[in-house]
Amino acid sequence: MAFRCQRDSYAREFTTTVVSCSPAELQIEGSSGKKEVLSGFQVVLEDTLLFPEGGGQPDDHGTVNDISVLRVTRRGAQADHFTQTPLTPGTEVLVRVDWERRFDHMQQHSGQHLITAVADHLFGLKTTSWELGRLRSVIELDSPSVTMDQLAAIEQSVNEKIRDRLPVNVRELSLDDPEVEQVRRGLVGWLLQNGLPWAPHQNSGTPLPFLMFQVRARGLPDDHAGPIRVVTIEGVDSNMCCGTHVSNLSDLQVIKILGTEKGKKNKTNLSFLAGNRVLRWMERSHSTERALTALLKCGAEGHVEAVKKLQASSKLLQKNNLNLLRDLAVHIAHSLRNSPDWGGVVTLHRKEGDSEFMNIIANEIGSEETLLFLTVGDEKGAGLFLLAGAAEAVETLGPRVAEVLEGKGAGKKGRFQGKATKMSRRAEVQALLQDYVSTQSAEE
């Protein structure tokens, strides 16, 4: 059967009867990103206003007698509604759909049909699959690439069709209806039978007029049961589909093609927004533009150039800073080497610096006569460390230093360095190193 949501995509609530209710579990992704299992009930209704996921379209959200429905899935000719509260079979219930989510899905799905038909007609770009995403939708095109000019032409054409306010009709056909096979095979005879304008290619190479239908058979799950639904955009596209759709292209408002990315198996992924998603995207973009205008002290037309100048300035400052840091490292190394306290264990901590900074110091000192313990970063938080000295001593002490600092590291040839999470325990490391040096001296 076709569900109420498919017969009337614009219905927001209706009354039906509970057929069955049985214990069930639902696996969801928790707030931490880990899978969680919810215990609840699988409720079957005589009919439903909530679309079960299928044909590239996610399921609807909504309520049954004000009880939240967390998932709707199709099983053959019936829809299973997962709730965490049981419902008594035979009870009459009120079903309400989350209209904002439903209308969004209608806009994206009908938008996909329109883009697919136009891309096929204008450039022979065939759609092989699509996904209605949470933020944007993606159409997989059977082509290794799509040019910017082609995208611009597709976008212009689909928005012209929206402004033409073309009707979108949904018809239900029985499986043995001859028209089903005609739609499946894309027979031109179907066009003539329905009185639709059509003209074949001329010898001159004149392209087909756009009113030639694009007849396809996508959008039906493999285990589809019940009547076949054919969604028709008047004069543009006829397509088998189980999803919810707008009744007129004007309800799409506008379509924005965001661009393409390389897909799998030599295909191209085209991403797009339709309807209210375009408005929200523009709001976010305008908000970002205002923030950049305030930060960069220039109008939107100057943002790119201003950022380029900042990047160039930042690179120059980083280069100068690196040179100064290297000079400082050499100076520190000489100071440590010439210090009266030289020998045994030498430690140094700086808030600013990196691994290269510490290695320059170790290279300049270049002595195995002492244990050199260098750290950079937050004095009490995370940072980097380096232990240098005699290879045997470093090999023994390195892992113990990392353990004390609650970090990880590795080393070879008299160097052990890594990341630490507890710089506040540097004094413990110094004591550890002093004990080692004292023990070695006593044994000698």
Side-chain angles (χ1 to χ4, degrees):
M1 59 175 272
F3 302 119
R4 176 65 185 272
C5 57
Q6 296 170 306
R7 300 195 303 272
D8 182 4
S9 298
Y10 288 83
R12 304 191 186 195
E13 63 178 52
F14 92 128
T15 301
T16 187
T17 303
V18 178
V19 173
S20 64
C21 178
S22 56
E25 291 184 336
L26 175 66
Q27 188 177 78
I28 64 170
E29 187 172 310
S31 55
S32 62
K34 295 182 179 180
K35 297 292 184 181
E36 296 180 8
V37 176
L38 297 180
S39 296
F41 302 87
Q42 207 73 281
V43 178
V44 177
L45 307 175
E46 279 188 358
D47 199 352
T48 186
L49 197 63
L50 305 182
F51 179 77
E53 58 185 348
Q57 180 175 326
D59 59 342
D60 281 336
H61 290 172
T63 60
V64 177
N65 274 5
D66 295 325
I67 297 170
S68 295
V69 177
L70 304 183
R71 183 71 49 83
V72 189
T73 55
R74 187 179 58 81
R75 182 154 49 92
Q78 73 180 34
D80 293 332
H81 306 71
F82 184 87
T83 67
Q84 290 189 285
T85 303
L87 290 161
T88 305
T91 304
E92 190 174 84
V93 291
L94 178 65
V95 182
R96 288 194 178 96
V97 68
D98 177 341
W99 175 247
E100 183 177 352
R101 177 180 170 91
R102 156 68 67 76
F103 190 58
D104 172 58
H105 289 178
M106 290 164 60
Q107 289 184 318
Q108 309 317 309
H109 203 158
S110 296
Q112 175 265 314
H113 279 222
L114 181 57
I115 294 173
T116 287
V118 170
D120 189 2
H121 167 74
L122 291 182
F123 305 110
L125 298 169
K126 307 294 184 183
T127 291
T128 49
S129 67
W130 87 291
E131 179 185 8
L132 199 166
R134 188 173 62 86
L135 297 177
R136 61 182 62 184
S137 297
V138 176
I139 297 173
E140 183 185 69
L141 298 173
D142 192 13
S143 174
S145 64
V146 181
T147 68
M148 294 302 294
D149 287 343
Q150 288 176 324
L151 292 180
I154 294 170
E155 183 175 274
Q156 179 179 345
S157 182
V158 297
N159 283 296
E160 286 174 356
K161 304 307 167 193
I162 292 172
R163 290 192 293 274
D164 288 342
R165 300 175 58 83
L166 299 178
V168 180
N169 302 308
V170 179
R171 292 176 301 144
E172 294 182 13
L173 306 176
S174 62
L175 285 171
D176 58 357
D177 192 312
E179 197 170 321
V180 171
E181 190 61 24
Q182 290 174 332
V183 173
R184 189 186 305 276
R185 293 182 179 180
L187 297 178
V188 173
W190 189 87
L191 310 175
L192 301 175
Q193 171 186 324
N194 286 273
L196 296 168
W198 173 77
H201 282 283
Q202 304 299 318
N203 293 333
S204 62
T206 303
L208 295 173
F210 188 78
L211 286 177
M212 177 178 178
F213 257 42
Q214 307 297 315
V215 185
R216 291 178 297 278
R218 295 171 285 99
L220 290 179
D222 294 337
D223 61 343
H224 173 82
I228 298 296
R229 297 173 74 245
V230 176
V231 178
T232 301
I233 303 174
E234 187 176 283
V236 176
D237 178 70
S238 186
N239 189 6
M240 293 182 190
C241 183
C242 64
T244 55
H245 291 273
V246 299
S247 61
N248 192 288
L249 289 188
S250 61
D251 277 352
L252 296 185
Q253 300 168 294
V254 66
I255 286 176
K256 178 61 186 173
I257 295 177
L258 300 177
T260 60
E261 294 180 351
K262 185 176 178 59
K264 298 178 180 178
K265 298 181 180 179
N266 213 28
K267 296 181 181 180
T268 298
N269 294 331
L270 179 152
S271 59
F272 75 95
L273 306 172
N276 292 333
R277 290 194 181 193
V278 178
L279 298 179
R280 290 194 292 270
W281 174 71
M282 290 184 67
E283 288 172 1
R284 292 193 301 270
S285 298
H286 187 53
S287 176
T288 301
E289 181 182 296
R290 290 199 308 268
L292 287 172
T293 295
L295 290 170
L296 299 173
K297 309 298 182 185
C298 65
E301 65 282 355
H303 287 175
V304 173
E305 197 58 38
V307 171
K308 286 181 179 179
K309 289 180 180 179
L310 285 174
Q311 286 179 326
S313 177
S314 176
K315 287 180 181 179
L316 181 60
L317 288 172
Q318 288 176 350
K319 183 178 179 180
N320 291 339
N321 183 59
L322 183 59
N323 289 334
L324 290 172
L325 205 58
R326 286 170 176 164
D327 292 343
L328 178 61
V330 172
H331 175 74
I332 289 174
H334 292 166
S335 296
L336 291 174
R337 183 79 188 206
N338 297 325
S339 170
D341 298 326
W342 176 256
V345 177
V346 176
T347 64
L348 175 73
H349 175 79
R350 279 184 60 85
K351 185 175 182 180
E352 298 83 11
D354 56 15
S355 294
E356 184 178 7
F357 173 77
M358 294 188 294
N359 276 289
I360 290 175
I361 294 176
N363 290 338
E364 287 295 320
I365 289 176
S367 172
E368 295 186 0
E369 301 169 1
T370 187
L371 282 173
L372 181 63
F373 176 53
L374 306 175
T375 54
V376 294
D378 191 318
E379 289 189 5
K380 296 184 179 180
L384 304 174
F385 71 90
L386 181 146
L387 180 67
E392 183 179 350
V394 171
E395 185 179 350
T396 301
L397 294 168
R400 296 169 64 185
V401 170
E403 183 180 357
V404 172
L405 298 177
E406 297 184 24
K408 294 181 179 180
K412 61 181 179 179
K413 297 181 179 180
R415 298 272 176 97
F416 190 98
Q417 55 191 328
K419 296 180 179 180
T421 60
K422 295 286 187 180
M423 284 295 189
S424 57
R425 301 183 65 181
R426 297 194 316 279
E428 295 179 43
V429 173
Q430 187 170 356
L432 171 68
L433 301 180
Q434 293 284 9
D435 287 345
Y436 178 87
V437 170
S438 299
T439 301
Q440 294 297 310
S441 297
E443 290 178 356
E444 292 175 358

